Structures are given as structure tokens and as C-alpha cells.
Amino acid sequence: MRAKGLSEKCSWALLVLGLISTCVDGQADPVKVTVFVETLCPDSMAFVSKQLGPTWESLREIMVVDFNAYGFVEETPVGEGYDFSCQHGAEECQGNMVVECARRYIDNSDTFVDFSVCLMSSSFPPGEGENCAATVGAAWSPIDACANSVEGQQLLHDSGVRQNSLDPVPDYIPWIIINDVFTQEHLDEAQTDLTGLVCRTYEGTPPPVCQL
């Protein structure tokens, strides 16, 4: 009886060790993809619709996306808020505020990315907020109120602070960073094969889509 009990304990220990080994060998930290866009920038729209969206759809289990909207903006403090001049006009400023307000009011980070991808994959992102909120199951009213208020201006300003604190400071949009380290090679590859870049960067066992 004692020998049998010892055998059972050894078997259980080996099982636990095997499970731990599987977890260690098979999983790793997700690949972080940080993105700064302008909502009416053709290059930003193409990147999100052709690269980020499909990659997020197939590899969300091994990646996280830090999605930001700002770009090349001139801003002037006005009272408690700001007056913005965006590269592609006032409608772009509005679209950028929609993104930043969605960041604030969509609690689930994956849902926020889904919303942003939906928005930027449309033909006119600044006008698709309500439709995209409905598509991802998010409440549109607080986002809309925010984007049309001083709060939205403050949030867009904060996004500019984040962008301008990067090293190097972006001189191109979309600006794409992998695992918090910018390289020109990553920026170039992300715009042509983001799926391959994420698959290659992930340090765990890659999902089947990476084998295709």
C-alpha cells in the first residue's frame, strides 16, 4: 500500500511538472503592437484595413494592440481645452477625438481595438463611430458626448503628449512599434506583412495560422 501511494504521488508530480513544462514551452508574453494613426490619412486607413485588422482577427490570442490617434497636429490651448489643426482637416480632428474618447469609454481593451479597426476600415472614419459602436456592442452616447466636448479635446491632447514622448518622435504616420522598441525595419514590414512580423516575434509556440 505504501509503495502504491508513493507511485501515485510520483505520477501526480510528473503530471504537474508536465503541465508546467507545457505552459512554459507553449506560451509567452503577447506581442505588443503600438500604433499611432490619423483617421483620414490614406496610409493609416490602408494599414488598418489591410494589415492590422486581418492580423488582429487571426492572431489576437498572441498580441495586444495599443491604438492611438493623433499624427501631425498643431494645437493651441483655449480655456480648459484646445483648438486643433489636423493634417487632413477638421473632420480628421473629430475622428481622432472619437478614437481617444472610445479608448476612455470602452472598458474592454479588445473591444476598443475592434471598434478602432471597424472605424479605420470604413471609407470615412470620422462618420462611422455610431455604426462601429453598434457593431462591437459598445455604447455610442458617451463616446459621442466626449468627442464633442472639452473632454475630447483634452484626451486628444494627451494622445499628442504620448506620441511626442516617443523616441524617436514619429516623422511618419502610421507609426508602428513592436514590443515598445521602434525600428525602421519593423515599420516597413508591418505595412506589408504584419501577420508574419507578429508570428516571427512571438516567443511561444505559434498558432496554426503562423504555419501557413
Side-chain angles (χ1 to χ4, degrees), residues 15-187:
L15 175 61
V16 171
L17 288 173
L19 290 173
I20 292 174
S21 176
T22 299
C23 291
V24 171
D25 293 341
Q27 297 181 0
D29 290 337
V31 178
K32 182 180 180 183
V33 180
T34 301
V35 180
F36 280 85
V37 304
E38 298 168 329
T39 52
L40 283 179
C41 165
D43 290 334
S44 294
M45 295 166 69
F47 167 70
V48 175
S49 62
K50 296 178 180 179
Q51 295 297 328
L52 182 62
T55 302
W56 173 244
E57 184 66 25
S58 61
L59 293 178
R60 65 173 66 207
E61 65 187 277
I62 65 166
M63 65 186 290
V64 293
V65 177
D66 178 12
F67 196 91
N68 308 266
Y70 193 74
F72 302 121
V73 180
E74 294 181 2
E75 59 177 64
T76 304
V78 178
E80 295 183 353
Y82 297 87
D83 180 57
F84 298 100
S85 176
C86 295
Q87 182 170 211
H88 301 92
E91 291 174 322
E92 179 170 83
C93 295
Q94 186 66 23
N96 290 351
M97 282 190 282
V98 166
V99 171
E100 293 306 318
C101 287
R103 172 200 289 274
R104 166 67 59 86
Y105 285 101
I106 296 178
D107 293 335
N108 184 280
S109 60
D110 285 2
T111 303
F112 167 64
V113 177
D114 291 337
F115 172 86
S116 300
V117 168
C118 174
L119 199 76
M120 293 296 294
S121 298
S122 70
S123 59
F124 185 67
E128 287 299 310
E130 185 171 8
N131 290 337
C132 287
T135 296
V136 304
W140 168 241
S141 178
I143 299 172
D144 185 37
C146 168
N148 289 283
S149 70
V150 169
E151 180 184 21
Q153 297 170 19
Q154 293 171 340
L155 291 175
L156 185 55
H157 165 77
D158 292 344
S159 184
V161 172
R162 290 195 300 275
Q163 178 184 295
N164 292 324
S165 69
L166 297 173
D167 184 16
V169 175
D171 59 4
Y172 173 84
I173 295 295
W175 194 252
I176 305 151
I177 305 169
I178 305 298
N179 286 340
D180 295 322
V181 177
F182 174 81
T183 70
Q184 186 64 47
E185 291 76 13
H186 285 163
L187 176 62

